[in-house]
Amino acid sequence: GAVVSQHPSWVICKSGTSVKIECRSLDFQATTMFWYRQFPKQSLMLMATSNEGSKATYEQGVEKDKFLINHASLTLSTLTVTSAHPEDSSFYICSASGLAGAAYQETQYFGPGTRLLVL
Amino acid sequence: QKEVEQNSGPLSVPEGAIASLNCTYSDRGSQSFFWYRQYSGKSPELIMFIYSNGDKEDGRFTAQLNKASQYVSLLIRDSQPSDSATYLCAVRYSSASKIIFGSGTRLSIRP
């Protein structure tokens, strides 16, 4: 149980284009999803927290107009990197936690990550 | 500001020995504690969570929690080369708050 998927796993795009990454909880309903970014040999950096049906909460220093997050259902959240530039190249990882009262709410389960390369 | 501290390592342990990973946290009211393992180039995967003082065992892994001293540790018995990874300690203050991650300890098991 507690499986989180991400799509795509790899994406290469040209500078200036937008890229959408999907995060799905496959076997539980996720009230809260988190988006992280990780550069090589560095720690996880939380970008934003999204709750189903409401606006995402962004961490300090993360541009909300550049990293658009939508959490339209209890099983799907999307991150759109708008007008991507080479410095946005990174490993983007989502995680999800479940509904109140469910065992899954007790922790966060991570998706496999999406590696983005902007040329 | 709530913080979670870990020694970055690398921690080198011979195969078959016990690896001991430690973590301290700043918020005395923290309630939930987690250990994740992250292989190079992969996303973190949950190893264990612990809520109560004392030890919790799962196979070769034992999590130890001491709320009075504000530390949590992970013991790995009979270490294997496949245990070589970065281990992330994570702490949640309450069920409504987000998990705070440490920066991780890199563990290397030498044959």
Side-chain angles (χ1 to χ4, degrees):
Chain A
V3 178
V4 178
S5 71
Q6 271 184 254
H7 178 81
S9 55
W10 268 99
V11 60
I12 301 173
C13 69
K14 292 182 179 180
S15 185
T17 60
S18 294
V19 174
K20 180 185 283 188
I21 302 170
E22 290 187 350
C23 176
R24 292 181 186 272
S25 55
L26 298 185
D27 54 359
F28 67 103
Q29 294 180 314
T31 50
T32 307
M33 287 187 170
F34 305 85
W35 287 96
Y36 294 84
R37 180 167 55 180
Q38 188 173 39
F39 294 105
K41 300 190 187 299
Q42 294 189 22
S43 306
L44 286 173
M45 188 195 82
L46 178 64
M47 300 175 67
T49 302
S50 74
N51 292 294
E52 185 263 338
S54 61
K55 290 185 179 180
T57 301
Y58 290 82
E59 296 298 302
Q60 192 171 9
V62 178
E63 300 174 60
K64 62 181 181 181
D65 294 331
K66 180 170 183 62
F67 299 99
L68 302 178
I69 292 172
N70 183 280
H71 190 165
S73 77
L74 285 172
T75 60
L76 174 64
S77 176
T78 60
L79 167 68
T80 301
V81 183
T82 61
S83 187
H85 288 93
E87 58 266 29
D88 298 322
S89 299
S90 188
F91 189 37
Y92 291 86
I93 313 171
C94 74
S95 71
S97 60
L99 285 172
Y104 295 152
Q105 192 195 22
E106 298 301 321
T107 190
Q108 291 176 211
Y109 294 89
F110 284 87
T114 297
R115 211 162 287 282
L116 170 65
L117 177 61
V118 184
L119 302 177
Chain B
Q1 184 176 355
K2 301 176 177 61
E3 293 182 348
V4 178
E5 298 287 338
Q6 294 181 258
N7 189 316
S8 62
L11 175 65
S12 181
V13 173
E15 184 175 357
I18 296 175
S20 178
L21 302 160
N22 299 311
C23 170
T24 59
Y25 58 95
S26 62
D27 194 316
R28 184 171 290 276
S30 298
Q31 298 183 351
S32 309
F33 307 86
F34 310 87
W35 282 100
Y36 289 82
R37 176 176 61 198
Q38 186 175 23
Y39 291 113
S40 181
K42 302 293 185 182
S43 66
E45 58 178 320
L46 179 68
I47 299 175
M48 295 185 69
F49 54 82
I50 186 168
Y51 306 135
S52 304
N53 273 327
D55 295 0
K56 179 181 179 182
E57 188 174 316
D58 184 359
R60 295 187 296 114
F61 298 97
T62 299
Q64 299 176 318
L65 175 60
N66 184 322
K67 288 187 177 181
S69 301
Q70 295 176 234
Y71 83 77
V72 57
S73 62
L74 179 70
L75 301 179
I76 307 174
R77 289 181 299 280
D78 188 24
S79 297
Q80 303 296 312
S82 59
D83 294 326
S84 297
T86 296
Y87 289 79
L88 302 171
C89 172
V91 176
R92 193 210 305 265
Y93 175 66
S94 70
S95 60
S97 65
K98 64 188 178 188
I99 289 177
I100 307 297
F101 284 88
S103 57
T105 298
R106 192 155 56 92
L107 175 66
S108 176
I109 307 300
R110 57 183 190 271

